């Protein structure tokens, strides 16, 4: 089954053709991230305008790249929640129009379910049940993936998302947006033990919190400035990355140990972080669990992951009519 997927929940306009949830025939991404970087973060209005400009060309390129026409496609999948609503609506309306005009089923896909499905593109043997940490710019969840379309959230952030923490700390340190890659880069030449950053206390065994960590970095920067000193940016980047990666890995592995999970998976933009990948890999092996990490090119927002999850949503009977709306917030565990 060939699915044409669309993604437009943040600053990437993307379309992709994926067969049976596993085989990528094309994967096209047009990103406004360079323009957004001028403002230090995503400006929703700019994101929406770039989606409008790019979506038709991206769709055509995805079909052409797969050597297919719209008539060859079996269904159109679209990321309909959660996200910046003006951005989401561009993809949803385009997908609706295309599905209607071509007489194809329309499949709504939850963006975070898509991030998890990014793993199916690289690991043909991976299937639920498994335990997954989904960490992106907007969300940080520890999720028991019980079945393709059944999710149980065991833990979540009580304040900032992990990616958001990377982005805010990067800005504090004068590093460019997006913060995750720039902190990882700066950390390469830093000493992760240079700054002692706090381990946040949080209620709920598998919940995480990052706002205290972010504040601790801001305080260090201000205190240094008051002393007329400069913070050592690579050292702080390394110390912060180490702390946040330790927190995420520890919570995920604790949940894996407690639930007896045999398989542990990472997903979302933050899953690109090398230190996090290493800690989860090492820790899960100690537990005797298998580890699956998404390929770097599928960690960030893309439409192949939406088409992949779209396949399983379709098989589960989750299609939508033309009244489909975009939703800015919706839990991954909706049914
Ligand atoms: O999943 P994603 O591409 O978009 C959302 O759904 O939000 O995640 C973007 C987030 C950004 O906050 C970015 O700073 C972070 O993922 N990120 C990283 C890395 N690459 C991207 N965080 C840590 N380390 C990285 N290498
Ligand atoms: Zn995302």
């Amino acid at each position: 089954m060939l699915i044409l997927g669309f993604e437009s929940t943040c600053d990437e306009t993307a379309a992709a053709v994926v067969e049976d949830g596993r085989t990528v025939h094309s994967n096209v991404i047009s990103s406004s991230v360079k323009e957004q970087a001028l403002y230090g973060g995503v400006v929703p209005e700019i994101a929406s305008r770039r989606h409008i400009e790019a979506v038709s060309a991206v769709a055509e390129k995805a079909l052409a790249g797969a050597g297919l026409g719209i008539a060859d496609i079996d269904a159109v999948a679209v990321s309909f929640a959660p996200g910046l609503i003006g951005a989401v609506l561009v993809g949803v309306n385009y997908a609706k129009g295309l599905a209607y005009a071509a007489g194809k089923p329309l499949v709504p896909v939850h963006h975070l379910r898509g991030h998890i499905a990014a793993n199916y593109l690289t690991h043909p043997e991976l299937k639920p049940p498994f335990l997954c940490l989904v960490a992106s710019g907007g969300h940080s969840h520890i999720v028991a993936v019980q079945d393709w379309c059944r999710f149980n959230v065991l833990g979540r952030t009580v304040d900032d998302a992990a990616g958001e923490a990377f982005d805010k700390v990067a800005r504090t340190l004068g590093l460019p947006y997006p913060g995750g890659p720039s902190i990882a880069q700066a950390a390469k030449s830093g000493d992760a033990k240079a700054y002692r950053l706090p381990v946040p206390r949080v209620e709920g065994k598998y919940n995480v919190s990052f706002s205290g960590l972010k504040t601790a970095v801001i305080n260090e920067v201000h205190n240094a400035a008051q002393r007329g000193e400069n913070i050592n940016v690579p050292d702080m980047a390394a110390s912060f990355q180490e702390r946040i990666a330790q927190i995420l890995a520890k919570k995920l592995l604790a949940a894996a140990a407690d639930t007896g999970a045999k398989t542990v998976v990472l997903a979302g933009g933050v899953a690109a972080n090398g230190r996090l990948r290493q800690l989860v890999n090492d820790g899960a092996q100690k537990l005797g669990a298998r580890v699956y990490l998404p390929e770097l090119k599928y960690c960030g927002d893309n439409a192949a992951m939406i088409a992949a999850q779209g396949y399983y949503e379709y098989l589960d009977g989750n299609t939508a009519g033309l009244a489909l709306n975009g939703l800015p917030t919706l839990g991954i565990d909706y049914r």
Side-chain angles (χ1 to χ4, degrees):
M1 180 176 191
L2 290 163
I3 297 202
L4 173 61
F6 286 95
E7 160 59 38
S8 72
T9 61
C10 191
D11 54 356
E12 272 82 35
T13 322
V17 177
V18 176
E19 187 169 358
D20 296 341
R22 300 281 173 167
T23 308
V24 180
H25 289 287
S26 64
N27 185 33
V28 180
I29 303 174
S30 166
S31 179
S32 62
V33 69
K34 286 211 178 93
E35 190 178 356
Q36 308 286 2
L38 299 174
Y39 305 95
V42 178
V43 181
E45 173 76 12
I46 293 177
S48 306
R49 287 170 184 268
R50 296 301 162 260
H51 289 315
I52 287 274
E53 288 164 1
V55 68
S56 300
V58 163
E60 280 171 19
K61 251 183 132 171
L63 284 171
L68 300 168
I70 186 66
D72 304 314
I73 295 296
D74 298 303
V76 176
V78 62
S79 192
F80 79 114
L84 304 170
I85 194 60
V88 172
L89 289 173
V90 176
V92 166
N93 277 301
Y94 190 87
K96 263 164 75 162
L98 189 63
Y100 178 66
K104 308 291 178 184
L106 179 64
V107 185
V109 175
H110 190 282
H111 181 78
L112 298 181
R113 293 186 181 189
H115 272 301
I116 295 172
N119 284 282
Y120 303 145
L121 301 171
T122 308
H123 310 296
E125 71 283 15
L126 176 63
K127 57 180 200 282
F130 56 83
L131 188 70
C132 185
L133 168 69
V134 197
S136 70
H139 300 85
S140 300
H141 287 350
I142 292 173
V143 187
V145 181
Q146 297 160 323
D147 208 339
W148 307 105
C149 303
R150 285 198 63 173
F151 303 81
N152 183 21
V153 180
L154 303 180
R156 64 179 75 234
T157 178
V158 298
D159 39 56
D160 293 350
E164 192 181 356
F166 270 99
D167 295 338
K168 286 179 176 169
V169 165
R171 196 199 294 221
T172 303
L173 298 179
L175 295 171
Y177 176 85
S182 51
I183 285 189
Q185 179 61 31
K188 280 185 190 166
S189 57
D191 173 6
K193 296 202 179 81
Y195 292 96
R196 286 178 65 85
L197 296 172
V199 181
R201 293 175 139 263
V202 55
E203 275 189 32
K205 201 168 176 196
Y206 311 121
N207 285 345
V208 289
S209 160
F210 300 118
S211 81
L213 192 54
K214 174 191 71 189
T215 307
V217 176
I218 292 171
N219 287 344
E220 287 279 356
V221 171
H222 286 172
N223 291 345
Q226 277 171 356
R227 292 194 300 268
E229 295 166 7
N230 281 326
I231 204 111
N232 182 311
V233 171
D235 281 354
M236 183 54 94
S239 303
F240 170 75
Q241 174 178 259
E242 183 63 24
R243 177 59 81 227
I244 194 164
Q246 290 278 2
I247 293 168
L248 290 168
K250 207 172 145 201
K251 294 277 172 154
L252 175 63
L253 295 166
D258 293 352
T259 59
K262 302 263 181 301
T263 307
V264 173
V265 176
L266 285 184
V270 181
N273 188 269
R275 184 61 182 142
L276 176 63
R277 292 168 83 95
Q278 187 181 33
L279 287 171
V280 169
N281 198 41
D282 295 353
Q285 273 181 12
K286 275 191 200 132
L287 284 178
R290 289 209 63 168
V291 187
Y292 291 93
L293 305 173
E295 245 178 289
L296 291 181
K297 66 178 174 192
Y298 297 131
C299 287
D301 289 348
N302 66 84
M305 68 186 198
I306 301 302
Q309 180 63 21
Y311 173 69
Y312 296 104
E313 298 286 346
Y314 180 82
L315 294 184
D316 206 43
N318 304 328
T319 55
L322 290 178
L324 176 67
N325 205 348
L327 299 173
T329 55
L330 176 71
I332 189 173
D333 49 359
Y334 79 94
R335 294 218 71 201

